[in-house]
Amino acid sequence: MGTALVTGASAGLGLEFAWQLATARHDVVLVARDEQRLTRLASQLEAAAGVRAEVLAADLTDRGDLERVAARLRSDERPVGLLVNNAGMGLNQSFVDGDLAAEERALDLMVRAVMVLSHEAAGAMRARGRGAILNVGSVAGLIATGTYSAHKAWVRVFTEALSVELKGTGVTATVVAPGFTRTEFHERGRIDTAHYPEVGWLDAEDVVAAALADVRRGVVLSTPSLRYKAVSALLRLAPRSAVRAFGGYRRALPDGAQAQTDES
Ligand code: NAP
């Protein structure tokens, strides 16, 4: 896979992707807004794993910044062989009463940036005849709980369509759909996790290991853990009316996807 570019590498799953990829001897390009955290991480990765770690500080909701990341994907110097579209955020608000500008930022980050970077990476990788794109979706993409669910459903269907288009080119597309995972996600999104069942929590280390193993095998839909494989299978089989009813229970939502109604 050569060099891997990871968005949202300063924390949570992205930080774990950076460590596991560097440990597997991949050079890495680290993308997020917090340049200090990225620079510290780059030094740690270089010292611990002996790889080259580039820092590319960027706000992916800013079109100029996004273009700088896209340009890195087009570059033939230390070409990027794996793109991990991981950066994301929780939006703890109702759609109808909430701030539309915040909605637009979330859409730009979890949909537009994923589309733009996948486009650049897919073109460059296909020209080289090899590469992989890994998009981070969510189990929340299978339910109907606010725009977060809609964004993650888009990521899933988009990645499946991309994998079909790339068939036979040497380039693969994978979407990983984690359930609740211990990261900074819930705290940053001011999401109360007190009522989340303990059994529902996954470790970032396990999620990332499963996702990377699936990328190596060319799997399109990756769901880490048996628990969430079962939950996802149930959600796919259940009538959508039942899935929508479940979406009314804000406290039961994977990774804080926000319901439009709260029974409390
Ligand atoms: P996290 O710990 O909060 O990390 C989010 C990362 O995204 C940070 O590195 C953050 O870095 C970066 N980021 C946020 N806004 C950005 C922006 N505008 N431009 C560039 N980077 C930005 O969350 P996480 O749980 O690791 O989330 C990673 C992915 O997993 C997301 O796509 C999330 O939707 C998905 N997911 C999470 C869970 C869960 O339960 N944790 C479950 C399913 C799916 P900076 O602040 O430095 O920019």
Side-chain angles (χ1 to χ4, degrees):
M1 291 191 284
T3 299
L5 185 147
V6 181
T7 71
S10 61
L13 288 169
L15 181 78
E16 184 63 32
F17 273 116
W19 270 106
Q20 291 196 21
L21 286 162
T23 307
R25 314 287 309 151
H26 296 285
D27 290 342
V28 287
V29 183
L30 309 171
V31 179
R33 291 166 301 182
D34 189 331
E35 189 163 11
Q36 257 191 339
R37 277 177 103 169
L38 293 182
T39 304
R40 199 167 51 237
L41 173 63
S43 314
Q44 290 169 345
L45 294 176
E46 290 187 339
V51 297
R52 183 177 178 133
E54 293 172 49
V55 169
L56 185 38
D59 179 344
L60 296 172
T61 67
D62 177 284
R63 300 225 170 171
D65 280 11
L66 183 60
E67 171 47 32
R68 285 192 294 112
V69 181
R72 178 63 186 86
L73 290 168
R74 287 192 295 270
S75 170
D76 282 329
E77 206 171 312
R78 294 187 308 283
V80 172
L82 170 66
L83 164 65
V84 184
N85 274 314
N86 161 78
M89 61 190 275
L91 200 54
N92 195 0
Q93 64 174 20
S94 127
F95 174 70
V96 178
D97 302 318
D99 173 20
L100 186 57
E103 287 289 350
E104 288 179 322
R105 279 196 299 279
L107 185 82
D108 282 349
L109 179 62
M110 290 183 284
V111 175
R112 190 174 188 280
V114 173
M115 177 183 69
V116 168
L117 299 183
S118 294
H119 183 264
E120 299 298 345
M125 289 173 185
R126 190 184 56 187
R128 294 182 207 117
R130 60 197 290 241
I133 296 170
L134 171 61
N135 293 329
V136 179
S138 170
V139 170
L142 294 173
I143 52 179
T145 53
T147 50
Y148 183 82
S149 272
H151 299 152
K152 295 302 187 183
W154 183 90
V155 171
R156 185 185 75 253
V157 178
F158 165 72
T159 310
E160 286 195 86
L162 184 62
S163 77
V164 171
E165 188 170 337
L166 288 171
K167 206 164 182 184
T169 64
V171 184
T172 59
T174 298
V175 55
V176 60
F180 306 129
T181 310
R182 289 188 184 85
T183 65
E184 296 178 13
F185 183 95
H186 303 90
E187 197 185 327
R188 283 175 184 239
R190 294 174 292 104
I191 295 162
D192 179 11
T193 59
H195 302 90
Y196 287 13
E198 188 55 35
V199 67
W201 285 103
L202 301 174
D203 285 330
E205 190 179 341
D206 300 332
V207 169
V208 166
L212 291 177
D214 282 340
V215 168
R216 292 187 183 102
R217 289 202 299 266
V219 169
V220 178
L221 293 172
S222 170
T223 305
S225 88
L226 273 178
R227 274 165 286 168
Y228 280 102
K229 279 186 173 60
V231 169
S232 303
L234 274 176
L235 287 170
R236 286 196 176 90
L237 288 173
R240 289 304 290 176
S241 56
V243 172
R244 287 195 296 277
F246 167 77
Y249 292 92
R250 181 179 189 158
R251 285 179 183 142
L253 302 179
D255 61 347
Q258 293 309 298
Q260 302 308 305
T261 57
D262 185 348
E263 302 212 330
S264 60

